[in-house]
Amino acid sequence: MIIPVKKRIQIFDTTLRDGEQAPGASLTPEQKIVLAYKLAELGVDVLEPGFPISSPGDFAAVETISRKVQGVEICGFARAVRGDIDAAVRATRDAERRRIHLFISSSDIHLRHQLRKSRPEVVAAAREMTAYARQFCEVVEFTAMDAARTGIDDLIEMVEAVIEEGASIINLPDTVGYALPHEYGEMFRRVRLGARGGQKVSYSAHCHNDLGLAVANSLAAIAGGATQIEVTVNGVGERTGNCALEELVMALETRGDALGAETGIVLDKLYDTSRMISGAMHFPIAYNKPVVGRNAFQHESGIHQDGLLKDRSTYEIMDPERLGIPRSMIILGKHSGRHALKDRAAKYGIALDAAELDALYESFKETADRQKAVSDDELLRMVSTATGQQAQVYELGDVQVLAGSAPRRVAAVTVRHLQNGTEEAYTSTGSGPLEAVIAAISQGIAEHISFAGLDLHSLGSGENAQAEAAVMVEWEGCKFRGTAIHQDIVMAAGIAYIAACNAALLSARVEQVREAVFPVVE
């Protein structure tokens, strides 16, 4: 049997350039350098770290990244203007591998209203500046901006001109997210076959997401002959953003046989990279965001939960753990069933008999009907009541935080050690109330459990809104998650931290309990 060879798609990451152009997403040069290393580890083929002519900070960032980040091609971005090209050339001169990426508009709309030049003038500029850039760099990528709204004959004329002057990569972007997939893929096919020299160069797609079609259009471009896709992590970028790196990569990974294409991205680094970009740009990730969103691998419906517990493939087409995403697929809410409750209790090392499960289920449903979700902290308290046994190791007692104008906050907490019935008080400081409370609680946890991350979400609006906190901790090389709901965000975070610690400490009993509760069927 002959296995078809998949086309290797180059991943061109422009998170630090186009992604940073999203309003409010600006990065410092220092942040760009840190993120550039992360993107290189992720396995992107080409990195566009910024627009060198745009500011001294951007120039410095591109220059430093070119000098320090190895194993990835660095791209200097420039308008079809000598000064821009000169800046891009200088900024990338120390790169291990580099290219110059220049652009000029190609559509009648842009020529008439933005450039206010005739088509012959613009084609001449494209030709001249491509030749100029080619003097300094062997690899020149040319972008015909707004290609998707350009007449095909006009587009071919411009592409032919820059190919003659040495451009080896032709980018045909859907700059305003207007194209439909069949139109966009056909544009690539027609340019590739219709332009003189068109089959001797490579093609790139750069899609915006104004109609939610950026990934679909990028896949259509691949079908039309593109071998490079320009993406951003989390789909950040102008207006509604760009083709999302993680969505494109997983579409090719999941449906690679049908699409005949693959990438070199290191999958288990996708989630951490996504979270790092989100944090640096202060751009939250939507709950329903494909691949990396909070709900991407979480299920509340009892029917779905039952199927997943029997076999993951019933309702999941990707394995979250391959992407570096901690598995927490079962969300307990009013639609959850007994099977999910039994499984969650087993994750805490607690085996429930039929009577205990019935008692827990009744209490759970009553709580779930009153609020959107049932947190781990609440569930453990319900389990303790249903079984008559203490399910938790620690419990958070009183919390007080001293706020004010001082640079440090002071927190005082009490932590109940439920296994021996004692309660101790602890105090600590932090640059904010959350940091101070977590530091104080940590003093009361005897084991060396590391705080690994916190997500906070509002469960409503107005004065009575509650906060949901999800805390990740690490212990003995494994990660554990705890959740809590409270009107006070500091309390929510503190209780979730305790729940995560309980999950870690109870994990030692999990395997033997799961074998008893969910025996393997031969």
Side-chain angles (χ1 to χ4, degrees):
M1 179 180 177
I2 299 175
I3 300 175
V5 177
K6 294 178 182 177
K7 179 168 61 174
R8 175 68 152 76
I9 302 301
Q10 299 284 300
I11 296 299
F12 177 116
D13 185 90
T14 184
T15 304
L16 305 182
R17 200 277 299 171
D18 202 335
E20 195 203 14
Q21 290 175 198
S26 62
L27 300 166
T28 66
E30 293 74 22
Q31 286 177 311
K32 283 196 173 190
I33 293 164
V34 171
L35 294 174
Y37 279 113
K38 189 70 174 178
L39 291 164
E41 290 175 7
L42 180 64
V44 304
D45 300 288
V46 185
L47 184 61
E48 190 169 65
F51 192 174
I53 196 67
S54 66
S55 73
D58 241 26
F59 183 96
V62 175
E63 185 177 46
T64 303
I65 290 166
S66 297
R67 186 178 302 128
K68 292 186 174 182
V69 180
Q70 305 295 306
V72 61
E73 186 175 351
I74 305 297
C75 182
F77 189 64
R79 292 169 297 182
V81 176
R82 283 179 183 266
D84 283 33
I85 294 170
D86 290 342
V89 169
R90 292 197 308 274
T92 60
R93 64 182 177 271
D94 294 328
E96 182 181 48
R97 289 181 291 120
R98 69 166 175 173
R99 76 173 60 166
I100 301 302
H101 179 195
L102 66 152
F103 72 96
I104 196 168
S105 292
S106 61
S107 70
D108 286 340
I109 295 172
H110 280 210
L111 268 60
R112 184 181 307 119
H113 300 294
Q114 185 173 17
L115 297 184
R116 297 182 179 179
K117 292 183 178 181
S118 68
R119 184 162 299 280
E121 288 177 309
V122 172
V123 171
R127 179 187 291 277
E128 179 185 357
M129 290 301 101
T130 299
Y132 182 69
R134 185 65 180 79
Q135 296 178 79
F136 306 105
C137 189
E138 291 186 6
V139 182
V140 174
E141 176 176 340
F142 177 82
T143 287
M145 190 162 68
D146 206 22
R149 294 194 297 174
T150 303
I152 193 66
D153 292 336
D154 293 333
L155 186 58
I156 287 174
E157 178 189 12
M158 181 175 281
V159 168
E160 286 179 342
V162 298
I163 290 175
E164 287 178 6
E165 300 302 333
S168 54
I169 303 167
I170 304 299
N171 180 36
L172 305 177
D174 183 16
T175 303
V176 293
Y178 179 75
L180 298 176
H182 71 278
E183 298 170 341
Y184 195 59
E186 178 67 7
M187 177 187 67
F188 277 86
R189 189 190 69 80
R190 293 183 68 180
V191 170
R192 183 168 54 86
L193 299 178
R196 286 190 301 272
Q199 297 189 63
K200 297 179 181 179
V201 296
S202 300
Y203 289 87
S204 179
H206 180 115
C207 297
H208 281 262
N209 204 38
D210 298 71
L211 294 177
L213 296 172
V215 174
N217 281 336
S218 297
L219 295 175
I222 292 172
T227 55
Q228 175 181 280
I229 305 297
E230 304 188 6
V231 297
T232 60
V233 176
N234 300 333
V236 295
E238 292 274 9
R239 304 180 312 279
T240 57
N242 294 54
C243 175
L245 180 151
E246 62 283 351
E247 295 178 30
L248 177 83
V249 166
M250 290 314 299
L252 293 175
E253 176 69 20
T254 305
R255 302 303 312 277
D257 291 338
L259 296 167
E262 63 184 359
T263 74
I265 292 298
V266 182
L267 299 184
D268 64 8
K269 296 187 182 297
L270 278 172
Y271 185 64
D272 279 347
T273 305
S274 168
R275 288 176 63 84
M276 184 178 286
I277 294 292
S278 173
M281 291 185 168
H282 302 293
F283 263 43
I285 300 170
Y287 285 1
N288 62 338
K289 171 78 169 65
V291 183
V292 294
R294 192 190 75 162
N295 291 351
F297 297 97
Q298 296 184 347
H299 310 264
E300 184 183 325
S301 164
I303 295 172
H304 285 220
Q305 290 175 348
D306 179 63
L308 281 161
L309 292 169
K310 291 172 179 173
D311 192 294
R312 184 188 63 80
S313 66
T314 53
Y315 290 101
E316 283 186 356
I317 61 172
M318 296 172 277
D319 181 356
E321 291 172 333
R322 284 191 67 205
L323 315 183
I325 302 175
R327 178 168 287 284
S328 53
M329 66 183 182
I330 302 298
I331 294 296
L332 297 178
K334 68 177 184 179
H335 301 109
S336 300
R338 285 178 169 80
H339 204 68
L341 276 177
K342 192 175 184 181
D343 175 77
R344 181 59 63 83
K347 288 186 188 310
Y348 284 108
I350 300 163
L352 300 172
D353 61 30
E356 290 169 339
L357 182 59
D358 285 343
L360 175 61
Y361 188 68
E362 183 177 341
S363 174
F364 167 79
K365 279 294 186 181
E366 182 182 339
T367 301
D369 274 336
R370 286 188 280 105
Q371 57 193 48
K372 293 180 181 290
V374 175
S375 68
D376 296 325
D377 170 71
E378 291 172 311
L379 181 66
L380 284 173
R381 284 191 270 109
M382 292 179 196
V383 169
S384 297
T385 301
T387 62
Q389 301 177 18
Q390 187 52 252
Q392 299 165 283
V393 180
Y394 297 106
E395 186 176 63
L396 185 62
D398 294 332
V399 174
Q400 291 194 13
V401 182
L402 181 62
S405 59
R408 304 289 289 177
R409 303 292 186 267
V410 179
V413 306
T414 58
V415 176
R416 301 186 186 106
H417 301 251
L418 299 176
Q419 304 300 314
N420 57 24
T422 62
E423 182 175 298
E424 299 289 341
Y426 306 92
T427 61
S428 189
T429 62
S431 56
L434 287 173
E435 182 181 338
V437 167
I438 296 299
I441 294 172
S442 296
Q443 295 178 26
I445 307 297
E447 296 74 13
H448 296 292
I449 299 175
S450 301
F451 184 87
L454 166 67
D455 284 326
L456 283 171
H457 305 284
S458 173
L459 296 180
S461 59
E463 296 179 357
N464 296 322
Q466 291 187 311
E468 179 188 31
V471 168
M472 194 74 68
V473 300
E474 189 167 344
W475 187 51
E476 295 186 347
C478 297
K479 288 185 177 180
F480 301 88
R481 184 172 181 268
T483 61
I485 298 170
H486 201 281
Q487 277 190 281
D488 187 312
I489 61 172
V490 175
M491 285 297 298
I495 295 169
Y497 179 42
I498 289 284
C501 292
N502 282 328
L505 298 173
L506 293 170
S507 65
R509 303 186 312 199
V510 168
E511 285 307 315
Q512 68 180 73
V513 169
R514 280 198 63 81
E515 289 175 7
V517 175
F518 302 104
V520 177
V521 178
E522 299 292 343

